[in-house]
Amino acid sequence: MTRSLLAVLLGGALGTAARLGIDLALPHDPVGFAGSTLVVNALGCLVLGALSASLLARPALPEWLRAGLGPGLLGGFTTMSAVALLLGQQLQQGLLLPAALQGGLQIGLSLLAVVIGLRLGRRIGPGRADARGTAP
């Protein structure tokens, strides 16, 4: 339990720092289009999908590493709260179309990224299994 907590704390710190780096590289207007948030969430979903299919599903993977990579690193990296805040601000200002577009892009691109990540993870994962669950 202590190892998992420490892994989540360390992973979360690293993920948050990486997110800040992207936010600084791709700044956005607080009520405008949040390009950096879109990039962060889509990239995080892609990586989580790939890790889930190739590494995190392995029973032999230590729980602390699973916790550090998933909820820690990628949980600290991605940011649904920033999306919700942005959409709330847009809606309060009556910016219905930008809010709908931003929300649709966030969810749609993130889902697409997870699907692509899962497929990539299955292709590149060592000892991967085919659709029937047997090793190639």
Side-chain angles (χ1 to χ4, degrees), residues 27-108:
H28 64 274
D29 178 358
V31 294
F33 182 75
S36 61
T37 304
L38 184 64
V39 167
V40 161
N41 287 335
L43 182 59
C45 287
L46 177 76
V47 172
L48 186 58
L51 282 177
S52 293
S54 65
L55 182 65
L56 296 178
R58 298 187 175 282
L61 189 70
E63 183 57 37
W64 65 267
L65 184 55
R66 186 183 324 274
L69 290 172
L73 181 68
L74 294 169
F77 182 64
T78 58
T79 176
M80 187 59 186
S81 59
V83 171
L85 178 62
L86 172 68
L87 297 177
Q89 289 171 333
Q90 289 176 327
L91 291 173
Q92 284 183 340
Q93 294 181 3
L95 302 171
L96 301 179
L97 184 58
L101 290 173
Q102 181 78 20
L105 274 173
Q106 287 286 345
I107 292 174

